[in-house]
Amino acid sequence: MQGIEAQEFFHVPVLSGEVIEGLAVRPGGYYLDATVGGGGHSRLILEAAANVRLMAVDQDEDALAAAQQHLAEYGERVQFNYSNFAKYKFTPNTFDGILADLGVSSYHLDQPERGFSFRHTANLDMRMDRGRSLTAADVINDWDEAELAEIFFKYGEERLSRRIARRIVEKRPFHTTTELAEAITYAVPPKYRYGRIHPATRVFQALRIAVNDELKALETFLDQATNALVPGGRIAIISFHSLEDRIVKHGLRNLPLMKVLTKKPITAQEEEIAHNPRSRSAKLRIAEKIE
């Protein structure tokens, strides 16, 4: 596991009660956790009914190794698969329920060497799957100004995308997260530098989405995963920003044989937000395969 302690990867599962209720976990059912992370949601699914079996998938080998430790007590009831959920080999009519908890985990943000956060100085990496070749440094240093402006606007919803892209091209090459964050800070007008969120936040989100091809992967996953549900099976998807939520909302609505059970997304209650601030932006949508 490359020296990562399993407990470092354990995360508090968001909307846990709502996920279990939404999946309607049944005794003897077979479930897919397509983004197992540290295994928090998987454990809840395995505990929700008798003799539940689970397929745990993740594209991050550190996450998968941590989940194997956390879920070891369930023995052969759990299988593990190292894969991006869009590349997982789905078999029709297999699962009673599927869960995907999207976005970046607190573990990724807290591990400086992964390069997801500008809170620490680190190489510009941002790969969820370190088997991929493209890194954030490649994007920042090699893509042209128009391409950078487009991804900052499209994936980060950054209104100052052109201005920031111009500054980056003038100042590159960049090697570390903090170098890049500082350049972005000085690219924006002073009144934007000390707002509620750091000026680099949206650009870093955009880079992460581009490096991991997250939105395309989500569209592919939605198309394929629902075919793998048994009739009456349910899919539950947690998203953390508007771009993902829009794809989930329209994707589930437009899929044949799927009935959306959440007119509006389910969000965290104040009590959960107080204990786990990350849950504030979480949105859960659930759909059921028609019998």
Side-chain angles (χ1 to χ4, degrees), residues 224-289:
Q224 297 177 351
T226 48
N227 291 327
L229 287 169
V230 299
R234 292 184 175 187
I235 187 166
I237 302 181
I238 303 168
S239 61
F240 287 89
H241 58 74
S242 58
L243 297 171
E244 289 175 337
D245 183 56
R246 209 172 298 142
I247 290 171
V248 175
K249 176 183 176 181
H250 295 297
L252 292 177
R253 185 194 292 163
N254 295 334
L255 282 167
L257 299 181
M258 294 302 296
K259 176 188 176 186
V260 176
L261 303 180
T262 44
K263 289 269 193 297
K264 290 185 175 180
I266 297 167
T267 55
Q269 301 295 309
E270 287 301 322
E271 185 180 355
E272 178 175 3
I273 293 168
H275 285 99
N276 182 12
R278 179 174 177 257
S279 66
R280 181 183 302 278
S281 54
K283 292 181 176 178
L284 170 65
R285 293 188 186 271
I286 300 159
E288 181 176 289
K289 193 166 186 178

Side-chain angles (χ1 to χ4, degrees), residues 117 120-124 137 173-182 204:
S117 170
H120 315 278
T121 299
N123 290 333
L124 281 163
F174 293 95
H175 302 292
T176 68
T177 52
T178 44
E179 281 175 354
L180 178 60
E182 186 179 8
F204 270 63

Side-chain angles (χ1 to χ4, degrees), residues 41-117:
H41 282 115
S42 286
R43 177 179 288 275
L44 294 170
I45 292 168
L46 289 158
E47 296 283 353
N51 302 315
V52 169
R53 295 176 301 122
L54 184 119
M55 173 62 74
V57 173
D58 209 287
Q59 65 177 329
D60 187 310
E61 55 191 342
D62 287 350
L64 208 62
Q68 285 174 309
Q69 291 186 46
H70 287 132
L71 304 175
E73 66 192 89
Y74 299 99
E76 293 181 358
R77 287 169 58 193
V78 189
Q79 297 168 284
F80 297 90
N81 188 293
Y82 172 42
S83 173
N84 180 296
F85 63 10
K87 296 177 180 173
Y88 178 76
K89 297 290 188 282
F90 286 101
T91 306
N93 299 313
T94 302
F95 297 109
D96 295 284
I98 295 173
L99 170 67
D101 179 2
L102 307 173
V104 66
S105 72
S106 51
Y107 162 85
H108 286 119
L109 296 174
D110 293 340
Q111 291 294 315
E113 69 272 12
R114 301 300 295 268
F116 284 95
S117 170

